[in-house]
Amino acid sequence: MPNYFAAAAALLPEELRAQALALPPAQRAGAEEVRLRAGRAPTLRDASGERAFAPGPVTDAQLAAVLERASGASLHACTQELRRGFLTAPGGVRVGVCGTAVWEGGAVKALRAVSSVCIRVARPVPGAGREILPQLRTGSVLILSAPGGGKTTFLRELVRVCSEAGERVAVADERGELAGATPEGLPGFDLGKSTDVMTDVPRAEAAVMLLRSMAPQAVAMDELADESDAAAVRAILGSGARILATAHAADRAEASRRAPLRALLDAGAFDTLVRITCDAHGRRHYAAEGL
């Protein structure tokens, strides 16, 4: 079985990587994030909370080493991603970045100094949301949760289940995060036998390219955000395919505060809304409702 925690830990400086990999197997198996904050002890977060796994303090050199590893020693090539506050390492491991930004012309131009990083442990969860999956075999689906709530994980499982059932699914995977893309562009996660993946292209453009080239019955897009995404959704639906998508929001009311999502919801673009919530013990709960 692939070691998904090891893939995330591989981005750590050598001394921290050794301590992370020495943690008990149960802790490694349940890890969701590794966080490094300048001047603080490095921490691991799982369903029960966040705790230090090695003595601090984290240094600027250690933070720089994470970015160097995550970018494949080509940090300058990741400027566009870093402007959005993250970059994606091989295997679909997202590295969130925080620090002092250079703000010009109403937009972030660069990060001048990095004060913390958040390494997410990307892994498939077979059987996630199994109780509602039968309701999602037809029609377009919008999956909502708070950040870090499991949207991408559930979308990954939904794609796999639909694909294994014979549905042609095309994945517009801008960052390679949904498929866990390798440096060669191959899916690192099992997305099913009938799935085609487009990576390293903005998701809206990738979705349209997939419509033209792969004749999908369903198109998956992670984290709808702006009008270009909404336009792609309309194009997908206009082609006769269905859309499987996620967005950051706790519920429909919150999603509707963003104009592109509100327009899609009001137009009846989605047949089913899925909400993912997390209880005090870190367990995720899935609820589906017809729209």
Side-chain angles (χ1 to χ4, degrees):
M1 178 180 293
N3 191 329
Y4 300 109
F5 180 77
L11 302 179
L12 294 169
E14 184 175 351
E15 64 277 16
L16 293 181
R17 182 167 68 253
Q19 292 176 85
L21 293 176
L23 290 168
Q27 276 190 269
R28 300 198 305 269
E32 297 183 0
E33 293 176 351
V34 177
R35 290 180 178 260
L36 305 186
R37 300 179 177 94
R40 302 285 184 177
T43 63
L44 178 146
R45 185 180 71 81
D46 58 18
S48 64
E50 186 176 341
R51 65 186 62 82
F53 68 86
V58 168
T59 66
D60 291 342
Q62 289 174 323
L63 293 170
V66 171
L67 298 184
E68 183 79 0
R69 290 175 179 271
S71 65
S74 298
L75 194 57
H76 66 280
C78 301
T79 301
Q80 187 61 39
E81 277 194 293
L82 284 171
R83 287 174 181 171
R84 292 178 290 180
F86 65 89
L87 56 84
T88 306
V93 180
R94 182 188 287 202
V95 181
V97 183
C98 185
T100 303
V102 178
W103 182 267
E104 294 179 5
V108 174
K109 297 298 182 183
L111 283 174
R112 185 168 61 245
V114 174
S115 59
S116 59
V117 297
C118 171
I119 305 171
R120 288 190 183 177
V121 180
R123 60 164 63 90
V125 182
R130 62 167 60 90
E131 65 273 20
I132 65 167
L133 285 170
Q135 303 174 54
L136 310 179
R137 293 293 304 280
T138 60
S140 291
V141 180
L142 179 63
I143 302 162
L144 303 178
S145 83
K151 296 181 297 300
T152 300
T153 300
F154 181 67
L155 178 59
R156 187 182 294 128
E157 178 65 358
L158 177 59
V159 167
R160 186 189 69 80
V161 168
C162 293
S163 176
E164 285 298 319
E167 185 174 9
R168 296 189 306 277
V169 184
V171 178
D173 197 10
E174 178 174 349
R175 302 176 298 272
E177 187 174 357
L178 188 59
T182 67
E184 295 76 28
L186 300 175
F189 299 135
D190 179 10
L191 294 182
K193 65 183 181 181
S194 305
T195 301
D196 302 295
V197 181
M198 178 75 74
T199 62
D200 291 336
V201 180
R203 58 181 167 264
E205 294 179 28
V208 175
M209 292 171 67
L210 288 162
L211 281 177
R212 293 170 179 162
S213 61
M214 304 309 296
Q217 295 168 296
V219 178
M221 297 174 66
D222 199 15
E223 297 184 6
L224 301 181
D226 56 28
E227 180 51 41
S228 66
D229 295 332
V233 169
R234 290 190 287 269
I236 291 164
L237 298 179
S239 76
R242 67 183 183 127
I243 179 74
L244 310 175
T246 72
H248 284 312
D251 51 30
R252 176 171 181 164
E254 185 176 336
S256 294
R257 296 188 190 118
R258 280 175 275 168
L261 286 176
R262 181 173 65 249
L264 290 174
L265 288 165
D266 290 347
F270 303 101
D271 299 284
T272 307
L273 185 72
V274 173
R275 292 178 58 243
I276 306 174
T277 56
C278 189
D279 64 25
H281 303 286
R283 294 186 294 261
R284 292 193 173 110
H285 301 275
Y286 305 83
E289 61 179 277
L291 296 175

